[in-house]
C-alpha cells in the first residue's frame, strides 16, 4: 500500500555468507511467473507488468550457491508469499 511497511519482499543472507549465485522466481497459483531476479538487492513489490496483484498466495523458488566455512554449498528453498490488502 506504499506506507513503507512490508511493501517489498526480498531475500537476505546471514552476516558473513557470500552468495556466488542467486536465482529467485515467484509464481501465481496458475504457474505464471510474476517476477524473476538474480541479484540479492532486488525484490518484489507485488506488481506484475506495473499493476498491483490481487490479494492471494504466491509461490517462490530460490536457488543459491553460497560460501560458508570456506565451502561452496548449493541451496534450494521454496515457500509462499501472501499479499494482504
Amino acid at each position: 500500500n506504499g506506507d513503507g511497511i512490508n511493501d517489498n519482499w526480498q531475500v537476505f543472507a546471514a552476516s558473513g555468507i557470500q552468495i556466488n549465485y542467486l536465482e529467485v522466481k515467484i509464481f501465481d497459483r496458475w504457474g505464471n511467473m510474476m517476477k524473476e531476479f538474480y541479484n540479492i538487492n532486488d525484490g518484489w513489490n507485488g506488481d506484475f507488468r506495473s499493476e498491483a496483484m490481487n490479494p492471494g498466495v504466491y509461490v517462490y523458488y530460490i536457488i543459491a550457491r553460497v560460501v560458508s566455512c570456506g565451502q561452496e554449498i548449493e541451496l534450494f528453498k521454496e515457500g509462499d508469499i501472501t499479499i494482504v490488502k
Side-chain angles (χ1 to χ4, degrees):
N1 63 1
D3 65 359
I5 300 171
N6 293 326
D7 288 336
N8 198 43
W9 182 86
Q10 207 169 345
V11 176
F12 294 95
S15 178
I17 300 294
Q18 175 187 335
I19 298 176
N20 289 344
Y21 176 80
L22 176 68
E23 178 180 330
V24 180
K25 295 182 179 181
I26 302 169
F27 298 89
D28 67 10
R29 62 182 170 170
W30 297 282
N32 300 309
M33 191 176 346
M34 302 287 102
K35 178 77 174 181
E36 176 179 38
F37 58 92
Y38 298 89
N39 186 318
I40 191 84
N41 297 315
D42 290 342
W44 186 49
N45 64 0
D47 286 0
F48 179 66
R49 296 184 180 153
S50 300
E51 290 190 29
M53 297 307 302
N54 291 323
V57 178
Y58 298 82
V59 177
Y60 67 81
Y61 296 94
I62 301 171
I63 298 172
R65 283 196 294 275
V66 301
V67 177
S68 179
C69 300
Q71 294 184 346
E72 186 173 79
I73 303 165
E74 185 164 291
L75 303 171
F76 178 78
K77 175 74 176 163
E78 60 183 56
D80 58 75
I81 304 163
T82 302
I83 294 179
V84 179
K85 295 184 182 185

